[in-house]
Amino acid sequence: MTASSPERIDAFRIARLPDIRFGSGSIELLPGLIADYGTSVLVVTGRRSFVATPRWQALVAALEAQGASWHHVTVEGEPSPQRVDAIVAEHRGHAIDVVVAIGGGSVLDAAKAVAGLLRPGNSVMDHLEGVGRGLPYRGPAVPLIAVPTTAGTGSEATKNAVLSVQGADGFKKSFRDERLVAAVALVDPELLAGCPKAQIAANGMDAFTQLLESYVSLNASPATDALAWSGMQAFRRGFWPAWAMDHPEADQGYGQLAYASLMSGIALAQAGLGSVHGLASPLGAFFPIPHGTVCGTLVAEATEVNVAALRQRAPHAAALAKYAEAGRLVSGKSELSDDDACDALVETLREWTQRLDMPRLAAYGMQRDDIERVVAGARGGSMKTNPLVLTDAELGSLLERRL
């Protein structure tokens, strides 16, 4: 017997990651982790997602027992540069040793930016991509402990803080630097138990979209493929029990979904994303549409457009075979040919979109006349790692299908 020749593995890079602590009940580790960094603490949460639970009172009691000096701020909705600058101005003089972010992706993103600027003290607009002053970030950042209470964005594992201003002249851009990566990502699936069903749906579809887009990204590597694939497997096992909430395996579903979200954050941080996230930037800036909803409403149509374009212009692209693998996974039909598996992927994603009753773009005020400016604003970083360059007409047709 002669061994087949091994495939070449091209050069790749794995950027900085947090110290990851994953597991049910791991929230109990938080006071000790905080103490590792000091006694002056800034806690960033949502308005009610965590502070209305007994765990908040337990954390406060633990901080006081440790003799910590702690400050608390809230972030509601998607964070703006103005909110970040206001928090920095208010707490810069408190000699903060550690920032603790407990909440969804918006809370974690805001806290990343705050932790990055508490010591330098300057405005986040100095560094915000595309709309800021273009100044290099020098640091230093205050250590950040990121505790997600939703499963979707994977923000606990990424280096970018997404900030936005909504309106006709709005934007949704990132403050991005490896020094913003959390020192610790504390992922406790039990924290998902309080999420409303609609939030599980939107966040879960965000996680799956990130996994799929990272998997087929132009910057994908064997390492990110392994992470994205394990995340998609976990998503398939856990999402529907978690979404059903009263399912007998809901608790296990929360664990699978939290893992899928974490893997999506790690994979996207290394490989990049694609057309859904390219479109999410202008959509989130121009209209009051939550990020997870953008993913959930667009992923099926974006996948169909990508597959059709690849078949026509790059039929031997690796992404087509990867789409087929994903199609066999989500459909549960391992015997499908590549062509049929790609079609099954699109069909399954459309079924999910309908089952979850994902809102259409028109529900947030978007009209046909808006398509051109959304497409014009979608050529940023995420679009650059889509499996191929989509035309304006292809992107426009994608949006029109979900109006």
Side-chain angles (χ1 to χ4, degrees):
M1 294 178 62
T2 58
S4 60
S5 299
E7 291 185 7
R8 172 181 171 177
I9 296 179
D10 292 329
F12 66 90
R13 177 191 178 205
I14 298 295
R16 179 185 169 193
L17 291 171
D19 173 7
I20 297 171
R21 310 291 183 96
F22 182 99
S24 294
S26 58
I27 188 66
E28 296 178 8
L29 300 174
L30 184 56
L33 291 170
I34 292 171
D36 288 342
Y37 291 96
T39 58
S40 181
V41 186
L42 177 62
V43 184
V44 185
T45 70
R47 185 172 62 90
R48 289 184 54 81
S49 62
F50 186 77
V51 296
T53 72
R55 291 187 176 94
W56 170 249
Q57 297 303 325
L59 175 60
V60 169
L63 290 175
E64 292 180 348
Q66 291 172 186
S69 170
W70 62 277
H71 310 269
H72 177 219
V73 296
T74 61
V75 173
E76 298 183 46
E78 301 212 359
S80 67
Q82 293 81 4
R83 181 62 179 139
V84 167
D85 284 352
I87 295 172
V88 170
E90 181 181 358
H91 295 282
R92 186 185 173 201
H94 292 148
I96 299 297
D97 295 318
V98 59
V99 175
V100 179
I102 310 172
S106 293
V107 170
L108 271 56
D109 280 4
K112 268 189 259 186
V114 168
L117 296 170
L118 276 171
R119 288 178 180 165
N122 58 302
S123 171
V124 71
M125 290 303 297
D126 288 340
H127 312 298
L128 209 55
E129 294 176 352
V131 295
R133 298 180 182 90
L135 301 179
Y137 175 69
R138 302 297 187 194
V142 173
L144 170 68
I145 300 174
V147 186
T149 60
T150 64
T153 68
S155 180
E156 67 273 14
T158 70
K159 66 180 180 181
N160 52 308
V162 181
L163 307 178
S164 60
V165 172
Q166 285 189 342
D169 298 318
F171 60 80
K172 189 169 186 176
K173 300 291 184 179
S174 289
F175 170 25
R176 195 186 316 256
D177 192 277
E178 285 200 7
R179 284 163 287 196
L180 303 185
V181 174
V184 180
L186 183 65
V187 184
D188 186 343
E190 291 182 9
L191 299 182
L192 303 184
C195 288
K197 196 167 185 175
Q199 190 172 36
I200 291 284
N203 291 152
M205 291 302 283
D206 185 9
F208 183 83
T209 302
Q210 290 174 171
L211 290 163
L212 182 62
E213 290 195 324
S214 298
Y215 191 54
V216 301
S217 165
L218 291 176
N219 282 351
S221 70
T224 60
D225 284 353
L227 296 172
W229 185 253
S230 72
M232 285 190 285
Q233 289 177 310
F235 181 91
R236 183 175 181 272
R237 289 190 295 264
F239 175 71
W240 294 107
W243 177 75
M245 302 183 82
D246 57 355
H247 193 283
E249 296 180 358
D251 287 346
Q252 295 95 316
Y254 291 139
Q256 298 284 352
L257 190 53
Y259 174 82
S261 178
L262 176 62
M263 291 303 102
S264 81
I266 297 173
L268 78 86
Q270 315 301 327
L273 293 165
S275 59
V276 173
H277 281 80
L279 290 164
S281 180
L283 285 170
F286 299 150
F287 307 101
I289 178 169
H291 178 75
T293 300
V294 172
C295 294
T297 205
L298 292 186
V299 63
E301 303 310 319
T303 301
E304 196 280 333
V305 167
N306 269 349
V307 168
L310 286 165
R311 283 171 170 167
Q312 183 181 45
R313 303 199 292 273
H316 302 296
L320 266 180
K322 288 183 173 183
Y323 276 130
E325 291 169 352
R328 284 186 278 265
L329 173 68
V330 301
S331 69
K333 299 175 181 178
S334 59
E335 76 283 359
L336 294 178
S337 67
D338 279 6
D339 275 351
D340 288 344
C342 287
D343 294 340
L345 173 60
V346 174
E347 180 182 348
T348 303
L349 292 176
R350 283 179 174 150
E351 289 173 356
W352 292 0
T353 303
Q354 293 174 358
R355 183 176 176 185
L356 296 171
D357 196 23
M358 299 306 301
R360 290 181 172 270
L361 300 174
Y364 297 90
M366 184 174 172
Q367 301 175 359
R368 264 182 192 81
D369 291 346
D370 296 310
I371 290 177
E372 185 176 350
R373 68 181 179 127
V374 171
V375 169
R379 297 295 182 182
S382 291
M383 199 66 78
K384 293 175 182 177
T385 47
N386 198 57
L388 79 172
V389 177
L390 296 175
T391 67
D392 286 357
E394 287 168 332
L395 290 173
S397 71
L398 187 169
L399 292 167
E400 189 164 7
R401 294 179 201 178
R402 292 303 298 169
L403 276 178

